[in-house]
Amino acid sequence: MKKNHLNYLGFLMFTLLFLSCNKEMVVDPPNNDEIVGLPEIRWKSGEDIIIKTDFFVDKARLIIEPGVTVKIKNGCSIIIGENYYADITAIGTIDKPINFLPYNPDGNEENPYWGGIRIIRSPYTGSNTTFEYCNFIKGGEGAEAVIFLEHAKLNFNNCLIDYSKAYGIAMGLK
């Protein structure tokens, strides 16, 4: 009887320890107040967007229209949802893709690379985190990947990742 009691206590302690470890890795989905009615940041078709420092999007939806060229300085990144829920929708077309390229105004660097796009907290339901007909050229400087996801879903269609210094797409928990 004493042996069964010790086995039961050991099992109970293991179960409690296992459950408590798993809770640290779970991220609760946002409530509707956090994702409904997020303001929009819109980059319009035909625009050239130049990013000279890390660009952060929190409590907003970044919408990139077809034909936009995003030029990003060496090592800089676009960070979606670092502190609050946010998402990104970049939908180009076959005739007007969206291009993510290095920004090199001086021409000093022979091979400049931009950082990446980090998507940290994107809404789990009805997520607009989408890339279609996008070209990601020379990304990955100082980043785990050109596109890195934490607690996010991603729709990725008809896109090209080329000349990358890091993985194309990576998923993980930090």
Side-chain angles (χ1 to χ4, degrees):
M1 179 72 174
K2 190 175 189 179
K3 185 177 179 182
N4 285 344
H5 185 63
L6 288 175
N7 284 343
Y8 178 74
L9 282 175
F11 175 76
L12 183 62
M13 298 226 0
F14 172 78
T15 302
L16 290 173
L17 180 63
F18 179 76
L19 289 176
S20 69
C21 290
N22 277 349
K23 284 184 181 175
E24 291 177 26
M25 296 183 69
V26 173
V27 173
D28 292 330
N31 63 43
N32 276 344
D33 293 340
E34 291 177 301
I35 60 174
V36 172
L38 287 176
E40 291 181 358
I41 300 167
R42 186 174 292 271
W43 294 344
K44 297 192 183 282
S45 185
E47 287 183 335
D48 283 353
I49 304 297
I50 297 174
I51 296 177
K52 295 180 182 179
T53 62
D54 287 341
F55 183 81
F56 294 87
V57 178
D58 277 320
K59 287 188 177 179
R61 290 195 158 108
L62 175 58
I63 298 171
I64 306 174
E65 295 180 356
V68 170
T69 298
V70 183
K71 295 179 182 178
I72 307 168
K73 189 176 177 186
N74 188 29
C76 294
S77 296
I78 297 172
I79 297 127
I80 307 293
E82 181 175 57
N83 298 304
Y84 300 98
Y85 288 96
D87 61 32
I88 180 171
T89 301
I91 301 177
T93 66
I94 197 163
D95 296 330
K96 291 183 177 182
I98 296 167
N99 295 300
F100 295 87
L101 306 169
Y103 174 63
N104 187 14
D106 304 329
N108 295 347
E109 266 183 89
E110 193 172 307
N111 290 313
Y113 285 81
W114 57 281
I117 299 174
R118 185 176 198 88
I119 304 162
I120 302 170
R121 289 178 190 86
S122 180
Y124 292 169
T125 55
S127 175
N128 288 332
T129 304
T130 300
F131 294 101
E132 289 184 19
Y133 292 102
C134 294
N135 298 313
F136 303 88
I137 309 299
K138 293 182 114 178
E141 176 70 37
E144 299 94 339
V146 175
I147 297 174
F148 188 85
L149 305 167
E150 294 178 48
H151 311 294
K153 291 192 300 184
L154 174 67
N155 299 311
F156 194 81
N157 300 303
N158 298 303
C159 295
L160 171 72
I161 297 174
D162 209 359
Y163 300 105
S164 175
K165 270 197 162 182
Y167 295 110
I169 299 174
M171 297 179 204
L173 298 173
K174 283 216 165 195

